[in-house]
Every structure is written in structure tokens, then in C-alpha cells.
Amino acid sequence: MAGAVPRLSDDPALRAARDALAARPLSALFEADPQRAQRLQCAGAGIDLHYAKQRVDDDAIAALVAFATRCGLHDRIRALCDGETVNSTEQRAAQHMALRAQPGEIWMAQGERVDEAVLSTRERFLQFAEDVRAGRILATDGGPFSDVINIGIGGSDFGPRMVCAALAPMAHGPRVHFIANVDAAEREQVLSGLDPARTLVIVTSKTFRTQETMANAQSVRHWLVANLGEAAVARHVAAVSTAIDAAEAFGIEASRVFGFWDWVGGRYSLWSAVGLPIALALGRAAFEQLLAGAHAMDDHFRCAPAAQNVPVMMGLLAVWNRNLLGAQSLVIAPYAQRLQRFIGWLQQLEMESNGKGVRMDGTPVPDATTAALWGDVGTNAQHAFFQMLHQGPDAHPVDFILPIQPDHDDHEQQRLLIANCLAQSAALMHGRSVAQVQSALEASGMTPQAAERAAVHRHLPGNRPSSTVLLERLDAWHLGALLACYEHRTFVQSVLWGINAFDQWGVELGKRLADDVDAALRGERAAGLDAETDLLIQRVLNSAA
Ligand code: F6P
């Protein structure tokens, strides 16, 4: 039960494990235990988690697993899988796993079977994608679509945009473009390269009322109508939404509106018709592989015991770092250029899910919740913020994510990429003591006095934790497994904090106030917020005048 969730940082076994490790740096743990690297790893659904460079030992893992058991993790996973009302503030299930359903399986959401609707909707949007790709669905002039624009934001953008980028070498359909920002600069940039006669537009919005998406959808609709006439809307626009009536009211033909369900959170939705841009770019087979990889991870998550369960262990390590070691952030460092957009997707997934301060029972969370997630791809990140990771005063744990096999033929550069990834986690862990630096400098000819002065600046404290997440290659199946793994990791943390990972009330106020400020900018009424906001509005109005 949520109300019974104990306080992590007060747990005697966790505190004892943490205190016992305080005087034992990672390098000492490795020296004392030749089997450490062998033992502190687990694998499932093609994802290997190596966590020997985390500041844990067997006692810490046992205490974390025991704590998770006291929080009812096993029952909460079962409740999630069974489609129970885990999103208690919105009275909904969070049944994104059903979107990965394979034929013949039974999936429920709040007591209703959902697998048939999932499979039939999947068939509809995959068939639509195949028909567009094969030139069976055509533009108003009878020619094929060469380009697709997805208009959506947040969960209606991050997932499909990230998957299309990650699997770009497999794309052999129409080019897919994305417009999310209400800053028209993004829209202008996308439209400037496109021929409306060859462009299919998808408006993706769970609610079909998100300000940014509706503004961009109206503008792109004008662009189509101005160039091709009103009739083009029916042939050139499709929609993905739970609000089917609103999509049809926008003028989109019913056969081109693809639904999903309120038990799918926006940030968990790429597996639904929200993934239509993926299917258009990559085709049915790749989309089904993506689902199959995620489904394999779902099975692993549901069945593997905690200590061998990759997403469970990732979630436990996350709360360990956050609540026992006080880490403020988690760095995501994929050593794969094509995973650059994975970071943005994961930021929404984790911080919109777990950026909460109140437990499901309405009481304040007594522990800190989500760490801030940030990062960039290696090796670029090494030349940006890794200096801070090595020598800054705070330890920021890192998830190194490494697909081993490249999808190009440059094996030499792939070797260099891998070398850098493995070297960075080793450098963070080992560090370099003042004495080591000093003797190296003296050996290179420096005087002892100069070496002593220089060593203070050049030493690295080490003992900085990281995990290494390996996948064989970045194909659709492994990507699906990786994404599902991070989805489940997010849920595990929420269980240990006793919070609801599936609502997002925090984003509502800003949306409402943006409407008030917009009215003030249009001169309709005062925003009535505060003196500085009024001053800023006035400054903007003066600039416009
Ligand atoms: O950022 C808030 C949010 O509600 C997200 O949860 C969601 O993914 C995004 O806005 C877009 O919402 P919609 O798909 O309804 O347009």
C-alpha cells in the first residue's frame, strides 16, 4: 500500500550498508573482490546491465531488495501488468504493455479486455502506413507522398522522433519531419524544404487540445489549403488521438483518424498509433520488431527475480544514488550518435513521471524523488561536461549506454568509440591520486616542488559511480527492449517513493497562465499575475509597438 511506503533514507539496513561503504572506495571494493565484476551484472531481453562501478556491495543490494519487497514492488508490478487502476489521481490504468501485445494474448485495463482493440487499431495504422509507402494511398494530384510531417509535442513527439533518428539507417519510406515547438521557426524550417503536393501531415495529440500542437496544425492546414485547396485536407491530413471527435471536427476524415486510449500516458505512447511516423519511415516489419523487443523486456520485468531483473536493479540503483548517496542528477551518456534524442525522450519519461512531491496517499514524500536527468552522446560529451564529472565537487552518476556492433563498416572508429566509453567509466571509478600524479610528473622531469604544486590541480578523486548498459546492436528489437527497460525502471522508482508515476498535474498551471498572458499580450485583459510579469508584458508590448 502506498501509505505504508517507508522512508528510504531512514531504513536501518540501507543506512548501515551505506555507512559501511563510506570508507571503502570503489577501487578498494574491486581489489578486495576479484569476482565483483562477474557478480554485479544482470541481463534480460538483450540488455546487459553492468553495475560493479556503482557504490554498492552485496549488503546494499540485499537491503535495497528487502526495502523494495516491503514497498510491495512485486504486487505493484503485478497490478501494473494486470491493468489495475495504478494511476490513482486520474482513475486510470497505465497499460502501455498491452500496446506490445502479441496475437493470442489477453490484456486487461480496469477489468476490460483491451488486446482486441489494440491489435485491430495496430492493424489499421500499420496498413495505412504500408499503403502510403507502397503508393496505394496517394496525394490529391494522384502522385505518391515523399514526405510526412508529424505535428505533436511532449509524448506525441519525443518517442516517434527519437525512434526515427535511432533507426534512420533502416528508413526506406517517405522522409519524416517533426514540428513540436510553438516557436514558428521550427515549422518554417520544416515547411521551407517541402512541396505541399507531396506532403502527408499527421496531427498527433492525445487530448487534441494542446496549444502548441493546435497552433501548428492550423498553420500547416493553411499552408496545404493555400497551395492545394480545401479538398487537400481530407487527402493530406491524418490524426492520432484519444479525442476522435475533436480530430474529425478539425476536418480529418474518419478513416484517417487513429485512436488510442486514456490508459496510455502520453510519454508511454510511442507503441500505439502515436508510432505512425515510425511505421511510415521504417515499415511494418521494423515496427513489429520494436514491439517484440519491448514485449521481451516486459516478460523479463514481470518474471525475473529482483536481483536478476534489469529494470528493477536500475530502479534500485537510482534510489540508492539519489536517497542514500545524495546524487542530484543522473547523466545519460549513450555512446551512439543515433541515440542523441533518447535523452530528451527519457527526460520526459522520468521527470514527468517521478518529479512529484506527494505520495499516492496524499502525504508528502519524505525522500527526494527523481534526480535531474541530462546528458549528451559520447564522445562529444567528453569534450563538454565530463571535466565536471571527473573533478567537480559533486558526484553525478552516469548511465553509459553502448550498442556494441555498428551499423556502418568503419570498425576502426567503432573500436575507438567503445574504447572511450569503457575508459571514461574506468577513469571516473579509479581517479588518480595526488601521489600518483606527482610521481608521474617527477618521472617526466619536473622538480618535486613543481610536481607537488601541479598535482593538486591534476588529481582526480575517483570513486564516481556509473552503470554500463550494453546492447548487441542498435536495431529495432534491441531499441524496443531498451526503451521498455527505462519505462519499467521509472515505475520501480515510483513504487519505492510511493508516488503515482502516471499523472502530470504540475504542467497544468503553466499552460493556464500562458493563456492569461496571451490574452494580455493581445490587449484583451490584464494578466493580473504579479508586478514583474506585468512589467515584462509591457516591455514586450512596447517592443511590438
Ligand atoms: O507536457 C504535458 C503533456 O500533457 C504531456 O504529458 C503530453 O505528452 C504532452 O503534454 C502533449 O499532450 P497531447 O498529446 O495531449 O497533445
Side-chain angles (χ1 to χ4, degrees):
M1 293 297 292
V5 169
R7 184 183 167 128
L8 268 155
S9 45
D10 281 349
D11 182 80
L14 286 169
R15 287 171 69 104
R18 188 259 322 269
D19 295 346
L21 283 164
R24 303 187 71 202
L26 278 167
S27 46
L29 295 175
F30 271 93
E31 271 165 35
D33 178 6
Q35 292 304 311
R36 180 177 172 83
Q38 285 297 333
R39 282 187 303 100
L40 301 191
Q41 59 172 323
C42 54
I47 305 296
D48 300 358
L49 172 68
H50 294 263
Y51 61 94
K53 293 193 182 81
Q54 294 285 353
R55 290 179 53 199
V56 289
D57 61 6
D58 293 339
D59 289 345
I61 299 299
L64 282 165
V65 170
F67 187 86
T69 304
R70 281 210 302 290
C71 292
L73 179 62
H74 186 75
D75 278 352
R76 300 278 296 139
I77 292 174
R78 188 204 44 73
L80 179 77
C81 296
D82 289 353
E84 290 181 14
T85 309
V86 291
N87 178 355
S88 52
T89 62
E90 296 179 303
Q91 287 302 306
R92 292 173 182 168
Q95 196 38 304
H96 38 282
M97 279 186 277
L99 300 170
R100 280 95 81 147
Q102 303 296 307
E105 293 178 348
I106 293 175
W107 287 89
M108 312 290 285
Q110 293 184 304
E112 303 272 332
R113 265 192 77 169
V114 296
D115 46 279
E116 284 162 5
V118 166
L119 291 184
S120 68
T121 304
R122 186 192 299 164
E123 187 51 37
R124 263 188 74 223
F125 77 79
L126 289 181
Q127 190 57 51
F128 177 79
E130 289 303 297
D131 287 346
V132 170
R133 286 162 58 84
R136 290 187 291 269
I137 288 180
L138 296 167
T140 41
D141 64 1
F145 289 109
S146 62
D147 293 89
V148 174
I149 305 172
N150 185 74
I151 301 174
I153 197 164
S156 297
D157 170 77
F158 282 123
R161 198 194 285 242
M162 172 266 296
V163 173
C164 286
L167 302 179
M170 297 169 65
H172 44 78
R175 289 179 294 268
V176 180
H177 314 267
F178 293 87
I179 300 175
N181 202 333
V182 78
D183 182 347
E186 186 183 32
R187 190 188 73 235
E188 303 247 300
Q189 192 187 358
V190 169
L191 295 188
S192 70
L194 297 182
D195 175 1
R198 303 270 66 80
T199 303
L200 176 72
V201 175
I202 310 168
V203 183
T204 304
S205 174
K206 180 175 173 181
T207 55
F208 224 77
R209 55 167 193 259
T210 300
Q211 182 199 59
E212 296 96 320
T213 300
M214 291 301 108
N216 278 318
Q218 287 296 354
S219 299
V220 174
R221 189 184 198 281
H222 288 315
W223 175 75
L224 283 175
V225 170
N227 285 283
L228 305 174
E230 187 68 35
V233 176
R235 302 281 289 272
H236 284 247
V237 186
V240 178
S241 185
T242 58
I244 291 175
D245 291 351
E248 289 179 15
F250 188 84
I252 301 168
E253 233 186 48
S255 66
R256 290 177 181 204
V257 178
F258 302 99
F260 61 114
W261 305 272
D262 67 1
W263 42 262
V264 181
R267 52 194 175 274
Y268 299 87
S269 67
L270 73 91
W271 322 96
S272 70
V274 172
L276 178 58
I278 303 170
L280 283 158
L282 306 171
R284 171 192 284 268
F287 194 84
E288 287 175 347
Q289 280 297 300
L290 188 76
L291 296 182
H295 188 274
M297 181 54 74
D298 296 340
D299 282 348
H300 169 75
F301 179 55
R302 199 171 39 223
C303 301
Q308 273 95 54
N309 192 311
V310 177
V312 169
M313 283 311 303
M314 288 173 91
L316 297 185
L317 291 166
V319 297
W320 172 262
N321 282 330
R322 183 76 180 110
N323 302 118
L324 278 304
L325 302 186
Q328 305 267 351
S329 84
L330 172 67
V331 176
I332 304 298
Y335 275 63
Q337 184 61 34
R338 292 194 282 109
L339 283 178
Q340 193 161 33
R341 289 195 171 276
F342 173 79
I343 299 159
W345 171 81
L346 186 56
Q347 283 175 324
Q348 188 203 14
L349 175 69
E350 168 63 23
M351 294 197 272
E352 199 165 90
S353 297
N354 287 334
K356 317 273 167 70
V358 174
R359 297 197 279 201
M360 281 192 289
D361 64 1
T363 60
V365 191
D367 294 296
T369 60
T370 187
L373 265 68
W374 58 290
D376 199 356
V377 289
T379 58
N380 303 14
Q382 294 172 200
H383 301 270
F385 54 81
F386 268 52
Q387 162 63 35
M388 183 186 88
L389 302 187
H390 288 293
Q391 281 192 314
D394 302 316
H396 298 273
V398 184
D399 274 8
F400 290 95
I401 302 172
L402 177 64
I404 300 169
Q405 298 297 336
D407 52 48
H408 51 69
D409 292 333
D410 198 332
H411 293 279
E412 193 166 325
Q413 285 198 207
Q414 182 67 10
R415 199 191 59 237
L416 287 174
L417 180 75
I418 294 172
N420 272 279
C421 179
L422 304 188
Q424 286 298 324
S425 62
L428 285 166
M429 189 270 272
H430 288 291
R432 213 160 176 233
S433 69
V434 173
Q436 283 173 321
V437 177
Q438 203 171 329
S439 64
L441 291 175
E442 282 180 36
S444 72
M446 217 181 247
T447 65
Q449 295 79 358
E452 192 182 348
R453 276 197 306 277
V456 185
H457 298 281
R458 298 190 196 191
H459 97 279
L460 278 68
N463 202 30
R464 307 237 147 154
S466 69
S467 293
T468 301
V469 178
L470 296 180
L471 42 157
E472 194 60 26
R473 54 175 48 81
L474 189 52
D475 57 15
W477 194 91
H478 285 91
L479 181 64
L482 180 73
L483 304 181
C485 182
Y486 274 90
E487 283 182 350
H488 297 321
R489 167 195 181 277
T490 298
F491 178 69
V492 170
Q493 292 171 88
S494 77
V495 172
L496 269 67
W497 290 320
I499 60 181
N500 176 6
F502 302 110
D503 62 13
Q504 57 283 319
W505 298 108
V507 298
E508 296 304 323
L509 177 62
K511 288 184 191 176
R512 193 163 59 70
L513 296 189
D515 288 340
D516 293 348
V517 174
D518 187 42
L521 289 171
R522 280 187 271 119
E524 286 176 8
R525 56 186 150 88
L529 295 173
D530 58 82
E532 189 184 57
T533 306
D534 287 346
L535 185 144
L536 291 167
I537 290 169
Q538 212 43 57
R539 173 70 183 80
V540 172
L541 289 173
N542 291 343
S543 167

